[in-house]
């Protein structure tokens, strides 16, 4: 197999792991809150910028990621308090929620540009040479990104399958009204949904900044692959979203020699359309 092709697959796995983290947060908010949040990509950008801001004042990059995740969670909880809880209370339509989320996305993106400017930023990190693995040049940051993504996915699996809050989240996703009648604290489930979504999304943004530059529109360019992953994996299914994210990440990167990097998002859309023509509900069952 051609070395360049394998190199593209490695790059796709790294990008896919980032898409996977953010897509899990997006599919959780839809599965539990029935919210198609188009601001999700811009929360990812916010996480990357807060990581960069903390890192540039001399804080270790890993601690910067943790603090940025806390900041992103706080921003998501604020949006829940000011917007989404009120919209649920008046039973706003899905169209209304989508329009509001697009407005929130524009607000966050332009706020980032207003505060930090529109130019690309880079973390304050020492330059590390790429590792030579069987003739492949693999940047150390890509390996770190993949390793962190795997750890985060395993932690999520444990939380959903083996903890009380994880079981409550699955019950709310199946039937919110029935879960409330059964005595489940739905408000607590909603709180933890935002905490998990915010943490994973912020980590995804921080890691994306490790393998590319931190820039204001990074989340906007990822929003189509994110939604494609959620739909392909079965809406509301975090494991399906993870699998679909890796498929999309790899196919996007492998397509660049023929189509060019400017058509990556188009590839994600094409994959989504082709699969939905064959399996309208996605590759996997649509449940948490």
């Amino acid at each position: 197999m051609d070395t360049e092709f394998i190199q593209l697959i490695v790059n796709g796995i790294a990008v896919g792991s980032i898409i996977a983290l953010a897509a899990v947060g997006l599919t959780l908010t839809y599965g539990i809150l029935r919210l198609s949040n188009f601001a999700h990509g811009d929360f990812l950008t916010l996480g990357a910028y807060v990581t960069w801001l903390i890192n540039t004042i001399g804080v270790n990059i890993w601690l910067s990621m943790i603090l940025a995740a806390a900041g992103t969670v706080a921003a998501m909880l604020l949006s829940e308090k000011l917007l989404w809880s009120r919209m649920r209370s008046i039973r706003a339509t899905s169209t209304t929620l989508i329009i509001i989320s697009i407005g929130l996305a524009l607000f966050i993106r332009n706020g980032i540009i207003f505060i930090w400017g529109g130019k690309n930023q880079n973390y304050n990190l020492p330059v590390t040479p790429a590792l030579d693995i069987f003739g492949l040049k693999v940047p150390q940051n890509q390996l770190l990104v993949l390793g962190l993504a795997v750890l985060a996915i395993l932690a999520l699996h444990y939380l959903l399958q083996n903890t009380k809050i994880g079981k409550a989240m699955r019950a709310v996703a199946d039937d919110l009204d029935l879960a409330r009648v059964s005595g489940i604290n739905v408000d607590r489930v909603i709180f933890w949904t935002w905490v998990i979504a915010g943490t994973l999304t912020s980590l995804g943004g921080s890691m994306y900044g490790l393998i590319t530059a931190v820039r204001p529109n990074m989340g906007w360019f990822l929003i189509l692959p994110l939604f494609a992953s959620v739909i392909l994996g079965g809406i509301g299914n975090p494991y399906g979203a993870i699998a679909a994210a890796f498929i999309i990440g790899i196919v996007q990167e492998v397509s660049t020699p023929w189509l060019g990097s400017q058509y990556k998002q188009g590839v994600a859309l094409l994959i989504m359309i082709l699969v939905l023509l064959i399996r309208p509900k996605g590759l996997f069952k649509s449940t948490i």
Side-chain angles (χ1 to χ4, degrees):
M1 192 179 290
D2 184 63
T3 304
E4 182 186 357
F5 183 75
I6 300 174
Q7 186 79 58
L8 290 169
I9 291 176
V10 172
N11 295 343
I13 291 171
V15 173
S17 63
I18 291 163
I19 296 172
L21 287 178
V24 165
L26 186 59
T27 202
L28 285 177
T29 54
Y30 184 84
I32 294 171
L33 306 176
R34 298 297 183 264
L35 171 62
S36 299
N37 191 3
F38 281 82
H40 200 80
D42 293 282
F43 279 113
L44 179 147
T45 306
L46 181 64
Y49 266 90
V50 176
T51 301
W52 165 76
L53 180 65
I54 298 171
N55 176 242
T56 51
I57 62 175
V59 178
N60 176 277
I61 185 65
W62 310 116
L63 180 57
S64 298
M65 286 186 180
I66 294 170
L67 295 174
T72 305
V73 167
M76 282 193 168
L77 290 174
L78 182 62
S79 71
E80 160 67 18
K81 180 73 175 175
L82 297 179
L83 293 174
W84 309 126
S85 62
R86 298 185 182 189
M87 291 300 104
R88 284 196 304 275
S89 68
I90 64 171
R91 296 192 176 275
T93 64
S94 58
T95 303
T96 301
L97 295 178
I98 289 171
I99 292 170
I100 292 173
S101 72
I102 293 172
L104 179 59
L106 292 170
F107 176 81
I108 295 171
R109 193 178 322 138
N110 286 285
I112 287 171
I113 294 171
F114 178 76
I115 295 169
W116 291 301
K119 67 177 183 178
N120 293 359
Q121 307 290 353
N122 292 288
Y123 298 139
N124 183 21
L125 296 173
V127 177
T128 54
L131 299 176
D132 193 318
I133 303 176
F134 301 113
L136 295 175
K137 297 293 182 182
V138 182
Q140 293 183 34
N141 286 341
Q142 283 191 357
L143 292 177
L144 288 171
V145 163
L146 181 59
L148 285 170
V150 169
L151 287 175
I153 290 166
L154 290 174
L156 173 73
H157 172 74
Y158 179 83
L159 185 145
L160 288 177
Q161 301 298 327
N162 300 294
T163 66
K164 189 175 180 181
I165 189 64
K167 293 171 183 175
M169 289 171 73
R170 284 187 285 149
V172 171
D174 284 338
D175 192 321
L176 187 147
D177 293 328
L178 180 60
R180 199 187 295 274
V181 170
S182 302
I184 291 173
N185 187 337
V186 174
D187 290 336
R188 183 165 173 262
V189 170
I190 291 170
F191 172 82
W192 280 105
T193 299
W194 286 116
V195 169
I196 295 166
T199 301
L200 293 177
T201 303
S202 180
L203 285 175
S206 301
M207 291 185 212
Y208 198 43
L210 278 176
I211 61 174
T212 64
V214 178
R215 54 189 188 275
N217 58 2
M218 59 194 291
W220 176 248
F221 285 119
L222 280 178
I223 197 67
L224 182 55
L226 288 179
F227 271 101
S229 300
V230 169
I231 294 168
L232 280 183
I235 295 174
N237 186 330
Y239 305 111
I242 291 166
F246 280 104
I247 292 170
I248 288 172
I250 291 170
V251 174
Q252 279 191 162
E253 292 299 316
V254 168
S255 70
T256 52
W258 295 278
L259 300 177
S261 59
Q262 67 268 33
Y263 292 108
K264 283 183 181 180
Q265 282 71 35
V267 171
L269 181 62
L270 179 62
I271 296 170
M272 182 174 69
I273 292 171
L274 290 176
V275 172
L276 290 181
L277 286 172
I278 301 168
R279 287 182 62 89
K281 292 185 179 181
L283 296 173
F284 304 96
K285 190 179 177 183
S286 304
T287 63
I288 292 179

